[in-house]
Amino acid sequence: MAFEAALGMERLCTIREIAQKAELGAATVHRALKNSREVRAETRRLVLETVCLLNEEKIARAARFVGG
């Protein structure tokens, strides 16, 4: 989890977290998020699904924390 000290709060997922979860390289994730032509559609789909999954997990965790 990345912590944004200036804001005093946790950010949503980072490229490294996405890469680790999707078992891809950080550069591949970066290119997929930038919609590069070098990235296959299947890989781009995997990256986007992983982003959604990680963000949902963090949002749910935050909701449990706030909800008590």
Side-chain angles (χ1 to χ4, degrees):
M1 255 182 262
F3 187 79
E4 187 64 53
L7 299 176
M9 59 188 282
E10 186 180 335
R11 287 186 281 150
L12 294 177
C13 60
T14 65
I15 287 178
R16 287 185 181 161
E17 289 172 328
I18 299 164
Q20 183 178 15
K21 183 82 171 184
E23 298 180 352
L24 298 169
T28 301
V29 171
H30 183 267
R31 285 191 295 269
L33 294 173
K34 291 290 186 178
N35 210 18
S36 172
R37 293 181 189 184
E38 299 173 11
V39 179
R40 293 182 303 162
E42 300 84 26
T43 304
R44 184 174 291 111
R45 191 174 309 114
L46 173 63
V47 168
L48 295 177
E49 288 172 359
T50 304
V51 168
C52 290
L53 176 69
L54 288 172
N55 285 343
E56 286 173 5
E57 288 174 1
K58 287 188 177 191
I59 291 168
R61 193 174 324 130
R64 284 192 302 274
F65 178 73
V66 171

